[in-house]
Amino acid sequence: MSLILTEIKDRVALLRLNRPEAMNALNSALMIELMDTLERLDADDAVGAFVVTGEARAFAAGADIKEMMDYSSTEILLKGHISPFDRIKLIGKPVIAAVSGWCLGGGNELAMSCDMIVASESARFGQPEITLGVIPGAGGTQRLTRSLGKALAMEMVLNNRTLSAEEALRFGLVNRVVPVERFLDEALALAAEIATRAPLAVRIGKEMVNRALETHLSDGIAEERQAFYFLFSSEDQKEGMRAFNEKRKPQWKGK
């Protein structure tokens, strides 16, 4: 079964995350297929823009905890579990995330890695990694801080605060909020409009806007990544992920 369902219409490629049984939890196979598809269609002149979406109840409810819960620090590094997230910034054409329902952890990091976000009224954004004994590892601490500011990013990363769609709009995380029944159509319409613009200008304009945000960002993400890997040597990481998988409250040890 394909983990990414693809349609192309009006120069817009619609990519649907397709793990509904897991609320689109982002495992390695899904992320690799998503990035492979984006890269392939980025080279297709028939495509001018992308929309990445999930389903009405969840864009992506996080990373696949079962897949990585027993990794050591070395394994999480060598398996390249997070590296697919780095590939999206190399996509030249605009990528719009159409988000409804839960957008958590790696799902929120994926949405923030896109160029714009159209949210439904039911969307909720968060970085709950602290409840698993780790921190965001795919850019969450860095992009949240740049989008929302230090105070709110701290609360989301350290205390699992989630944002409603209206809060995300007010604080600048998303472009617009529309009713659930319209969120995908709105994202597709935005992408189709952008796809009518001059392709080279769109590509260079996107690159320039992203470059403005890249000042010192790479250093910050590198430090975040090392901290994320280090936490896979902690007892609390093992406890947090096992507790999540066993549907019980974790017993923290602080080591």
Side-chain angles (χ1 to χ4, degrees):
M1 179 184 75
S2 177
L3 298 174
I4 303 296
L5 304 180
T6 305
E7 306 171 41
I8 300 176
K9 182 180 179 182
D10 297 329
R11 289 182 43 78
V12 175
L14 172 62
L15 279 58
R16 293 180 184 268
L17 311 183
N18 188 35
R19 293 191 73 205
E21 76 289 348
M23 296 185 71
N24 290 327
L26 305 178
N27 63 9
S28 297
L30 182 149
M31 287 300 300
I32 290 171
E33 186 174 342
L34 173 62
M35 297 309 160
D36 286 348
T37 305
L38 284 169
E39 290 169 353
R40 174 173 56 82
L41 294 177
D42 197 33
D44 187 340
D45 291 338
V47 173
F50 297 95
V51 171
V52 176
T53 194
E55 55 181 340
R57 67 171 182 156
F59 175 74
D64 191 326
I65 304 304
K66 291 182 181 179
E67 181 180 51
M68 63 181 180
M69 62 182 288
D70 291 322
Y71 285 168
S72 67
S73 297
T74 301
E75 287 170 331
I76 192 74
L77 171 63
L78 295 180
K79 287 180 181 292
H81 185 79
I82 302 176
S83 57
F85 283 87
D86 296 332
R87 294 165 59 185
I88 195 168
K89 68 182 179 182
L90 301 177
I91 300 300
K93 296 168 185 174
V95 183
I96 298 170
V99 174
S100 186
W102 295 109
C103 184
L104 303 176
N108 193 43
E109 290 172 308
L110 174 59
M112 290 192 295
S113 295
C114 296
D115 301 305
M116 288 166 273
I117 302 175
V118 173
S120 83
E121 293 172 335
S122 73
R124 292 201 64 92
F125 301 85
Q127 298 288 162
E129 287 88 349
I130 198 72
T131 68
L132 304 176
V134 294
I135 62 171
T141 65
Q142 304 301 298
R143 290 192 174 94
L144 273 179
T145 304
R146 282 163 172 77
S147 295
L148 306 175
K150 175 185 173 182
L152 188 51
M154 281 286 191
E155 190 173 358
M156 293 181 70
V157 171
L158 302 186
N159 204 36
N160 190 27
R161 174 172 173 176
T162 59
L163 298 182
S164 68
E166 288 298 334
E167 287 176 317
L169 179 63
R170 184 164 73 249
F171 294 128
L173 188 64
V174 307
N175 293 74
R176 60 194 68 173
V177 176
V178 296
V180 175
E181 61 271 18
R182 286 179 42 213
F183 84 99
L184 184 54
D185 288 340
E186 186 79 11
L188 289 168
L190 176 59
E193 187 173 7
I194 293 172
T196 67
R197 312 297 184 187
L200 183 58
V202 167
R203 182 179 291 265
I204 293 177
K206 167 180 169 169
E207 181 182 349
M208 292 301 100
V209 172
N210 283 331
R211 185 175 294 174
L213 291 173
E214 285 290 330
T215 305
H216 306 306
L217 178 59
S218 296
D219 290 343
I221 287 180
E223 292 175 7
E224 173 196 84
R225 191 72 45 84
Q226 292 305 313
F228 177 79
Y229 294 149
F230 172 75
L231 285 166
F232 274 79
S233 66
S234 71
E235 294 181 25
D236 278 354
Q237 173 267 326
K238 298 295 184 291
E239 166 63 10
M241 292 193 174
R242 288 196 180 104
F244 177 89
N245 193 46
E246 295 165 9
K247 296 179 170 55
R248 60 174 176 81
K249 290 185 177 181
Q251 301 296 314
W252 304 122
K253 297 182 178 179
K255 57 181 180 179

